[in-house]
Amino acid sequence: MQITDFSSTTIREISCSNHSLQQMYYREVQRFNQWYFIVLHLLILGTGILILYSEYLAKPVTNPTDPEPFLFFVLLVLINIFLICIQLEAVLSEKGMSVRYFPFASEFHPWENIQQVEVVTLPFSGPGIRWSDDYGLIYNVRGIKGVFVICHNGEKYIIGSSNPKKLAMEIRKRLTRGM
């Protein structure tokens, strides 16, 4: 997890997909780096290595052109890389808030569209993108706390956060400044 607070330091320039270079005030990135995900990665790679060993090294090669074990190992490596790349990123910039759950979803909400925020306990635990009738879309990687955002158009969503009080405070600062 990486949290960057730019409110008390020099404001950095970032490039966002929805608009050109702009000032970034706050950034939080969460990844699947909990111990049980690391164990899962090791188990996936270990399984692949065991299959390769049993097919190619432990017994005489009867059909050296059989690509299935090697392709299965490559598939396991690609699954591992995919799992490592998944991350949740919340960025507060001068024009609004970006929420990106890479590689699945990406949203941008201008400050004038955001009506209210509050810190909430998630109605479930565990990672993923989920739907709730009460909260709308819920983006979470870890933990049971998040920031509930209500937009003027009625859209609602929760951003899971390791530091939800700080994230909510930074959003409120931007809303009261009329950015």
Side-chain angles (χ1 to χ4, degrees):
M1 189 246 342
Q2 173 187 357
I3 297 176
T4 310
D5 179 10
F6 296 105
S7 60
S8 61
T9 61
T10 305
I11 297 172
R12 294 179 49 192
E13 298 287 323
I14 62 166
S15 175
C16 293
S17 59
N18 294 350
H19 37 276
S20 61
L21 290 176
Q22 58 183 291
Q23 298 174 333
M24 179 169 46
Y25 299 106
Y26 182 85
R27 179 175 181 252
E28 180 176 344
V29 178
Q30 294 183 31
R31 291 184 176 85
F32 288 100
N33 56 4
Q34 297 94 322
W35 68 269
Y36 44 89
F37 281 111
I38 294 170
V39 169
L40 176 66
H41 294 307
L42 294 175
L43 285 174
I44 290 172
L45 286 177
T47 301
I49 291 170
L50 184 63
I51 289 170
L52 280 179
Y53 175 77
S54 66
E55 288 295 319
Y56 291 116
L57 300 175
K59 61 183 180 182
V61 178
T62 56
N63 186 5
T65 59
D66 185 16
E68 287 179 15
F70 182 73
L71 291 176
F72 184 70
F73 178 73
V74 169
L75 178 66
L76 290 176
V77 169
L78 291 175
I79 289 170
N80 242 357
I81 290 170
F82 176 74
L83 291 173
I84 290 169
C85 289
I86 296 173
Q87 67 179 19
L88 173 61
E89 178 181 38
V91 176
L92 307 183
S93 64
E94 70 180 288
K95 295 192 180 194
M97 177 172 55
S98 297
V99 179
R100 191 175 83 155
Y101 203 107
F102 182 81
F104 305 109
S106 182
E107 296 185 24
F108 177 77
H109 300 277
W111 294 121
E112 56 270 9
N113 291 355
I114 298 173
Q115 178 181 354
Q116 172 185 345
V117 296
E118 64 180 87
V119 175
V120 295
T121 300
L122 300 176
F124 66 89
S125 64
I129 301 174
R130 311 229 175 134
W131 174 259
S132 163
D133 289 334
D134 296 331
Y135 297 108
L137 278 176
I138 302 171
Y139 302 97
N140 192 37
V141 168
R142 63 173 60 193
I144 59 169
K145 297 279 186 184
V147 176
F148 179 44
V149 180
I150 301 172
C151 297
H152 289 292
N153 64 2
E155 185 180 354
K156 304 180 285 189
Y157 58 94
I158 293 179
I159 306 165
S161 176
S162 296
N163 195 349
K165 290 180 183 176
K166 177 73 173 166
L167 179 57
M169 181 187 72
E170 290 295 329
I171 295 170
R172 284 187 194 111
K173 271 200 268 186
R174 307 297 162 235
L175 294 177
T176 58
R177 289 183 187 165
M179 298 183 95

